[in-house]
Amino acid sequence: MTFETPTDRLGKDLSAGAHHYRAWVGAPDNYDLSSGLQFSLLVALGMREHHTLLDVGCGSLRGGRLSIVYLLPQRYFGIEPEPWLIEAGIANELGQDLIDLKQPSFNNDGNFTLSIFQRSFDFLIAQSIFSHATQAQIRHCLDEAKQVMTPTSLFVANFAEGEQNYEGDEWVYPGCSHYTMDYMIRLVEGQGLRCTPIQWPHPIGLSWVLIYRPDYQGDALDLASQPAFLKAEADRYKKQLDALQSNPYVRLSLVANRLVARLRGRGGAS
């Protein structure tokens, strides 16, 4: 599927759910923002170019258009039940030459069969999938994820957080299926995995969680308590401060300041 004008191609005037490669996966105005946020989250959690990524419900490659470029060849894998979305994403966002260079793998399975590629993955992401899924679909996806995760794998997912838990048996779209955070954690742990909420922005306010095996051996869980970019900035400034305080002239100045403060304290006491 191709579009003749830039306006048509971007679908800016369409609503979410319209039959357009950008609108079908959400509000077209959020397409670029959602793309950047999910990619930056993966990188902040430790994804590097040599890692493998499974994009669950990759759609029109909203996030894939960045991850495919970033990762080394044959490291990106996408599952999407609508073949036309992948085709339109390639035609309008990446181009066949880049696909030939990076050699991503795609599958049109519609039942969350994450094991269909017959391999494990370093990272998995389900962007706006659990926000439309039934409880049974989420459980099946998690059960499949468990089969393709290693002790160092991370599964990043988001969902629509609400006060009630969706009990229907139909995929909800457009619109969202809502779950409480406590219930989402129970869903994950009920499949033998662990779940930790993480603070990360999303264009329509979906809540993010990190999913991992009980024997997880990575260090990404430290990021759950504060945004990754803040932790990185804090670490960088701490190193600069340590280096500054180790300078002999600075150390001498700190000693002198403490001595002056002590003498002033004595004068005030008298």
Side-chain angles (χ1 to χ4, degrees):
M1 178 178 294
T2 58
F3 303 90
E4 294 182 357
T5 68
T7 301
D8 289 341
R9 185 175 69 81
L10 298 179
K12 291 290 188 179
D13 297 330
L14 299 175
S15 59
H19 196 80
H20 178 282
Y21 84 95
R22 282 193 169 203
W24 187 263
V25 297
D29 284 346
N30 290 333
Y31 195 89
D32 60 334
L33 181 58
S34 178
S35 175
L37 286 172
Q38 59 182 291
F39 174 73
S40 60
L41 174 56
L42 287 167
V43 174
L45 291 171
M47 187 178 78
R48 298 297 179 261
E49 63 178 4
H50 61 276
H51 287 137
T52 53
L53 171 65
L54 175 58
D55 194 346
V56 182
C58 62
S60 57
L61 308 180
R62 180 170 51 182
R65 65 181 186 156
L66 299 182
S67 295
I68 289 172
V69 174
Y70 174 76
L71 296 171
L72 293 174
Q74 301 180 5
R75 262 66 167 190
Y76 177 92
F77 298 78
I79 291 181
E80 171 53 52
E82 298 285 348
W84 71 272
L85 283 174
I86 297 177
E87 293 169 3
I90 291 174
N92 293 283
E93 299 292 336
L94 289 167
Q96 190 58 47
D97 287 346
L98 185 58
I99 295 300
D100 293 341
L101 175 66
K102 291 295 187 172
Q103 302 176 49
S105 296
F106 299 105
N107 192 279
N108 299 128
D109 176 81
N111 297 310
F112 297 105
T113 313
L114 310 191
S115 56
I116 202 162
F117 294 108
Q118 299 184 339
R119 59 161 301 143
S120 61
F121 300 94
D122 300 307
F123 288 86
L124 301 85
I125 185 167
Q127 151 63 27
S128 195
I129 301 301
F130 291 178
S131 54
H132 306 288
T134 68
Q135 296 182 29
Q137 289 170 329
I138 294 174
R139 289 191 183 96
H140 180 62
C141 182
L142 292 169
D143 187 57
E144 282 284 317
K146 186 169 55 177
Q147 299 180 45
V148 299
M149 294 174 68
T150 72
T152 57
S153 299
L154 273 181
F155 185 3
V156 188
N158 55 32
F159 70 100
E161 191 171 355
E163 297 181 357
Q164 303 292 327
N165 298 308
Y166 176 61
E167 297 182 352
D169 55 5
E170 296 289 338
W171 178 267
V172 181
Y173 192 79
C176 291
S177 54
H178 293 80
Y179 300 96
T180 67
M181 180 61 75
D182 287 343
Y183 192 74
M184 180 58 64
I185 292 174
R186 291 202 299 272
L187 277 176
V188 174
E189 293 184 345
Q191 301 308 118
L193 295 165
R194 296 292 180 268
C195 179
T196 298
I198 185 170
Q199 299 300 315
W200 195 263
H202 188 277
I204 63 170
L206 298 185
S207 299
W208 291 94
V209 291
L210 299 182
I211 301 170
Y212 47 94
R213 284 176 33 163
D215 56 348
Y216 177 67
Q217 298 174 2
D219 57 4
L221 299 185
D222 294 338
L223 306 177
S225 60
Q226 60 182 138
F229 66 90
L230 290 180
K231 183 177 185 298
E233 287 295 294
D235 289 344
R236 183 166 69 89
Y237 287 122
K238 183 177 184 300
K239 290 179 181 178
Q240 291 179 350
L241 180 60
D242 291 342
L244 183 62
Q245 290 181 336
S246 65
N247 184 290
Y249 296 104
V250 174
R251 292 174 63 184
L252 180 61
S253 176
L254 292 174
V255 171
N257 286 340
R258 286 195 292 269
L259 180 59
V260 170
R262 186 180 305 169
L263 292 175
R264 285 177 176 174
R266 288 177 180 176
S270 65

